[in-house]
Amino acid sequence: VFETRSVHQIVSRSVALASGITEDGHREVLGVMVGDSETELFWTEFLRSLRERGLGGVRRVIGDDQLGLVEAIRKVMVGASYQ
């Protein structure tokens, strides 16, 4: 979470960063998204954008324990485990 100035106000924003490990063991940044909060809607939109850009074969998602993220994984990354 970081703060930005918006119309003469300081507001908190969330940044989601997805990274992955390729089949040959290299780490890659898959996507970044800035939003107003880390709700299920935010995470669902982010995960869908990754999938629409070709992300597939996700076996495990690792993140902090946010209910919105867990629910979005269940919807978008069907079959992936969460840790």
Side-chain angles (χ1 to χ4, degrees):
V1 177
F2 71 100
E3 294 180 342
T4 62
R5 185 173 300 276
S6 175
V7 191
H8 308 293
Q9 289 181 305
I10 302 295
V11 294
S12 293
R13 304 290 306 265
S14 298
V15 177
L17 177 117
S19 65
I21 307 296
T22 62
E23 289 181 357
D24 58 356
H26 292 93
R27 183 178 300 243
E28 292 185 8
V29 173
L30 305 173
V32 178
M33 185 172 180
V34 177
D36 293 328
S37 65
E38 297 180 29
T39 62
E40 180 182 341
L41 180 62
F42 169 80
W43 285 113
T44 299
E45 182 180 344
F46 181 52
L47 295 179
R48 283 187 177 144
S49 73
L50 296 174
R51 195 177 63 193
E52 289 168 1
R53 290 183 23 234
L55 180 64
V58 176
R59 293 185 221 154
R60 178 174 294 159
V61 178
I62 300 171
D64 52 6
D65 189 27
Q66 295 180 351
L67 183 59
L69 175 57
V70 175
E71 292 301 319
I73 292 166
R74 288 184 185 139
K75 288 180 177 178
V76 181
M77 303 292 178
V78 177
S81 65
Y82 176 77
Q83 178 179 335

